[in-house]
Amino acid sequence: MLRKMKNQKGFTLIEILVVVIIVAILAAFAVPRYLRYVEKSRSTEAQTAIHAIRTAYDVYVQTNGTAEGYSVESALKDARLGEATLKHWQFEVVGNPPKKYIATSTADFASGEGKQVWYDTDEAAFHGYGVDNWTNPDTGGTETE
């Protein structure tokens, strides 16, 4: 004779499906947020380097009265940036006195080549990759917030 089991062990298909749907919904919110966190974290290397380069320019201008004759290479040397930073980013300074400091990622950068972070002296703010531009995980392109 077969006895009916009153307490079944395990989960039904419906219960498993509900859990999978809940996990998928949570992942849909968590993954983009995590990717933005990673981009923000990776952009801080460029922001820190730009700050050091700005400081080098400021010291030079205070000493000499102008940024004339002071190159990005000289600022990089005076800023004493680490080898990893120099390997991941190329730097450019626009204007005299400087109006914009730009860092562009190289092929050695973990998120790929061509990402830009810049500091605008008129706005006194950073912009670009990981600051106000995010990679869209669906298209690989960037979007602005």
Side-chain angles (χ1 to χ4, degrees), residues 33-109:
R33 181 177 217 137
Y34 173 74
L35 292 176
R36 288 182 178 178
Y37 170 78
V38 168
E39 288 184 6
K40 185 175 183 178
S41 174
R42 288 185 177 157
S43 77
T44 58
E45 180 182 40
Q47 292 177 47
T48 302
I50 288 171
H51 177 72
I53 293 167
R54 283 180 45 227
T55 301
Y57 265 89
D58 289 346
V59 168
Y60 187 86
V61 169
Q62 287 175 1
T63 305
N64 298 295
T66 181
E68 194 67 42
Y70 194 61
S71 66
V72 176
E73 291 76 19
S74 297
L76 291 172
K77 190 177 182 182
D78 292 341
R80 296 184 181 141
L81 300 177
E83 289 298 318
T85 301
L86 296 174
K87 186 177 176 184
H88 295 159
W89 299 95
Q90 292 179 335
F91 299 95
E92 175 185 356
V93 177
V94 178
N96 182 14
K99 294 289 182 191
K100 193 173 187 181
Y101 298 84
I102 305 168
T104 305
S105 65
T106 66
D108 292 321
F109 185 60

Side-chain angles (χ1 to χ4, degrees), residues 104-127:
T104 305
S105 65
T106 66
D108 292 321
F109 185 60
S111 293
E113 188 174 11
K115 312 288 188 207
Q116 283 195 330
V117 176
W118 66 91
Y119 182 82
D120 187 319
T121 58
D122 291 336
E123 296 177 16
F126 283 99
H127 297 284

